[in-house]
Amino acid sequence: MTLHNFIGGAPAPAASGQTFDNPNPATGQRLAKVARSGPADVDAAAQAARRAFEGPWRGWSANQRADLLDRIADAIEARLDELAALESADQGKPVSLAATVDIPRAVANFRFFAGAARHQQLPSHPMAQALNYTARRPVGVFGLITPWNLPLYLLTWKTAPALAMGNTVVAKPSELTPMTAGALAEIIHGCGAPEGVFNVVHGFGAEAGQALVAHPGVKGISFTGGTVTGQRVAATAAPMFKKLSLELGGKNATVIFADADLDRAIATAGAAAFRNQGEICLCGSRILVERPVYDRVLMGLTEYASSLTVGPPDHPDTTIGSLVSLDHRAKVEGYVALAREEGGTVHCGGTRPALPAPYDQGAFLSPAVVSGLPISCRTATEEIFGPVVTVHPFDTEAEALEMANGVRYGLSASVWTNNLRRGHRFSEALDVGMVWVNTWMLRDLRVPFGGVKDSGVGREGGDWSLEFYSENKNICIHLG
Ligand code: TXE
């Protein structure tokens, strides 16, 4: 199978005619050949998106767009099993996870932003002699650049509000996980979107991604990916005054105080470390534990990690699938080796499980729990983005705070305590964009999502998304 671009309402091969191989990371077998696009393809897609923006799409009311989003949600839901299987084969995650998290969340993204757009409330500021009211206008063509860890989940998180606000889209999915973006393009157009409203250009970051960020007809960029890539994206987009949202890496702390409900804390800290093979920006990859309960938590986490089933992603009992690629596994294995060099003890995992063919060719790695590392070492401060967690003791709340805040990232944190005052106090003092107390990754789509420091710029979610994917315009009417 060849996965083409999707431009102006129809599949289109790359202008160069080139393709690249997209393997299933769990088996090494080729899933598809994929269009290898460059600036010419990006230009064709941006022009198609511009024509749609200035043409038929402009005449659609907010309610018509919301109705379209609801139809898209229904269509994704109707194909849930097929899309979950495709996402799992492309990414390596357990199909059970894709079927219960990734694809349902894609449905929820469209339903949520249909409702949010319908129920928007815009401010008015009356004066004695005039009335100001604020309108929100679409920006134009948005470039949406997405990573490989949650492919459809994150693409729909950006696409739904972009379309709800009347923009058109050129999406550049990760070259490692392009499959469900192709399916989404067909679904959106099958639901009645005018041609050119949603376009997909496949290819590598340096070729297709860079061309999309640099294209003068693309007025806004929403990017989720690595921090180094985010710097490049910002360096290109900022001088062109594009609207820019950057959701980058994380090295999130799970902080467990001795008074916490420890059974729940351990199970949730384990899930936060290893869900989706640890390939989620919100994963808690550093676990800080108050010393009196340190041994118990370390043992509990080791038991938790050892109880996970690493295996074929399409098997219903599998809880840890394949990492996204052999290259990425090599990077994660490099961190396990580094942890040992830095003086850490690996209590479990960090090894390749013995699996039958064809899975013996896959990028599997068993989940690793590491202790004994200084909090400032590389393993404990750099984003690994795999199934490796480090565990560190602390003695005082002030020390825990210093440890939690002592990294370049500031995305999220999970704090475990039954002391309400401490829960508040500690959450307020954390240098992050999102804090969960006595839970993790409990998401309400109305709340702001994003990080501080090297974890990114801007917020998406709820009204923050509607704001980002639009321009506020004030209109002042004299009443005389
Ligand atoms: O991501 P990239 P990579 C972190 C994680 C991971 C590391 C590197 O630590 O190990 O980043 O991953 C496109 N202009 N996260 O290299 O390159 C690229 O094609 C425009 C955290 O795979 O950032 C893809 O579509 N676009 C993260 C997207 O950027 C460019 C999720 C992300 O890829 C580009 C993923 C360029 N110059 C990785 N270069 C999270 N925050 O969840 C690449 N791209």
Side-chain angles (χ1 to χ4, degrees), residues 1 31 74-90 95 98-99 103-104 152 179-180 182-184 186-187:
M1 170 200 173
L31 261 184
D74 293 345
I76 296 173
E77 200 165 43
R79 289 174 62 178
L80 190 145
D81 289 338
E82 174 207 337
L83 290 168
L86 191 62
E87 197 75 300
S88 167
D90 202 12
V95 73
I103 311 304
L152 191 65
M179 304 305 291
T180 48
L184 180 65
E186 280 168 14
I187 288 172

Side-chain angles (χ1 to χ4, degrees), residues 354-376:
L355 293 172
Y359 302 103
D360 54 345
Q361 302 300 309
F364 295 91
L365 191 70
S366 56
V369 175
V370 183
S371 74
L373 287 168
I375 192 70
S376 57

Side-chain angles (χ1 to χ4, degrees), residues 145-149 154 172-176 203-206 209-210 213 223-227 229 232-233 247-249 280-281 328 331 383-385:
I145 300 179
T146 46
W148 43 258
N149 57 334
L154 288 175
K172 208 303 281 172
S174 169
E175 56 274 31
L176 297 174
F204 297 107
Q210 178 64 26
V213 178
F223 170 85
T224 301
T227 294
T229 315
R232 270 191 222 122
V233 168
E247 203 271 282
L248 310 176
I280 305 181
C281 55
H328 188 54
K331 175 186 155 181
E383 186 178 47
I384 300 174
F385 219 63

Side-chain angles (χ1 to χ4, degrees), residues 72-310:
I72 296 168
D74 293 345
I76 296 173
E77 200 165 43
R79 289 174 62 178
L80 190 145
D81 289 338
E82 174 207 337
L83 290 168
L86 191 62
E87 197 75 300
S88 167
D90 202 12
Q91 206 274 339
K93 67 182 70 207
V95 73
S96 57
L97 186 70
T100 53
V101 176
D102 293 68
I103 311 304
R105 175 59 190 276
V107 173
N109 286 338
F110 279 105
R111 288 222 173 103
F112 171 79
F113 281 110
R118 278 193 193 102
H119 300 136
Q120 268 186 97
Q121 298 200 3
L122 293 166
S124 67
H125 295 91
M127 302 166 75
Q129 70 283 38
L131 173 69
N132 292 282
Y133 71 92
T134 304
R136 276 181 177 163
R137 313 248 313 128
V139 179
V141 180
F142 260 92
L144 308 182
I145 300 179
T146 46
W148 43 258
N149 57 334
L150 302 166
L152 191 65
Y153 177 129
L154 288 175
L155 179 57
T156 54
W157 174 242
K158 299 175 191 299
T159 299
L163 297 186
M165 299 310 285
N167 304 284
T168 57
V169 165
V170 179
K172 208 303 281 172
S174 169
E175 56 274 31
L176 297 174
T177 53
M179 304 305 291
T180 48
L184 180 65
E186 280 168 14
I187 288 172
I188 290 177
H189 283 270
C191 288
E195 59 186 45
V197 163
F198 181 79
N199 308 274
V200 181
V201 176
H202 295 289
F204 297 107
E207 298 170 0
Q210 178 64 26
L212 182 58
V213 178
H215 196 287
V218 174
K219 300 300 177 194
I221 297 287
S222 175
F223 170 85
T224 301
T227 294
V228 173
T229 315
Q231 283 171 337
R232 270 191 222 122
V233 168
T236 306
M240 301 174 82
F241 307 116
K242 297 189 179 198
K243 288 204 97 172
L244 188 58
S245 168
L246 301 171
E247 203 271 282
L248 310 176
K251 187 75 178 177
N252 311 303
T254 301
V255 185
I256 302 177
F257 287 95
D259 69 348
D261 175 345
L262 286 186
D263 290 338
R264 275 191 62 227
I266 291 166
T268 311
F274 300 123
R275 185 170 298 163
N276 205 49
Q277 300 71 241
E279 296 168 330
I280 305 181
C281 55
L282 300 169
C283 275
S285 51
R286 296 181 296 149
I287 303 182
L288 316 181
V289 189
E290 199 167 6
R291 200 171 302 270
V293 295
Y294 176 77
D295 289 340
R296 178 168 164 203
V297 171
L298 180 59
M299 196 194 308
L301 284 166
T302 306
E303 277 167 15
Y304 178 93
S306 307
S307 75
L308 296 172
T309 306
V310 186

Side-chain angles (χ1 to χ4, degrees), residues 9-44:
S16 66
Q18 290 187 347
T19 59
F20 63 93
D21 283 346
N22 175 35
N24 176 333
T27 62
Q29 291 161 354
R30 188 168 75 193
L31 261 184
K33 288 187 191 179
V34 182
R36 180 173 173 176
S37 312
D41 306 285
V42 167
D43 188 50

